[in-house]
Amino acid sequence: MVRLFFAVLLIVPVPATAGEPVSAFGRPLAPEEPPALSSRSARFLQRAAEHWAYQPLAEAAPPEVAKSATAAAVRNEIDRFVFARLEGA
């Protein structure tokens, strides 16, 4: 009986037709009125925009490999990054 009560609370009527933008007060938005964001949503979007995955790519020059034993094993630029990290460890 309790489970049914909670399931009924999750059903919320949609105040506008499907696909029509709605304001926070339930009225349809005017075409020139942008949807309002809460301060929490705005902070979340700002932090998400600063995430490393959304930054433009930067050109990185492959590092030089110092040790002759590892320098002979280098076959491409990715190997240079890997062996430079291993030499620094």
Side-chain angles (χ1 to χ4, degrees), residues 13-57:
V14 177
T17 61
E20 183 178 316
V22 177
S23 73
F25 302 107
R27 63 177 171 77
L29 289 176
E32 66 276 352
E33 183 182 3
L37 291 176
S38 68
S39 62
R40 183 177 179 189
S41 296
R43 283 193 313 266
F44 174 77
L45 291 176
Q46 179 64 30
R47 285 196 336 245
E50 295 171 357
H51 191 271
W52 65 266
Y54 299 112
Q55 301 304 314
L57 296 177

Side-chain angles (χ1 to χ4, degrees), residues 70-85:
T70 56
V74 172
R75 295 183 185 174
N76 57 33
E77 284 78 20
I78 296 174
D79 289 343
R80 291 183 186 276
F81 285 101
V82 172
F83 287 128
R85 178 68 62 96

Side-chain angles (χ1 to χ4, degrees), residues 65-74 83 87:
V65 180
K67 294 181 183 175
S68 61
T70 56
V74 172
F83 287 128
E87 288 177 355

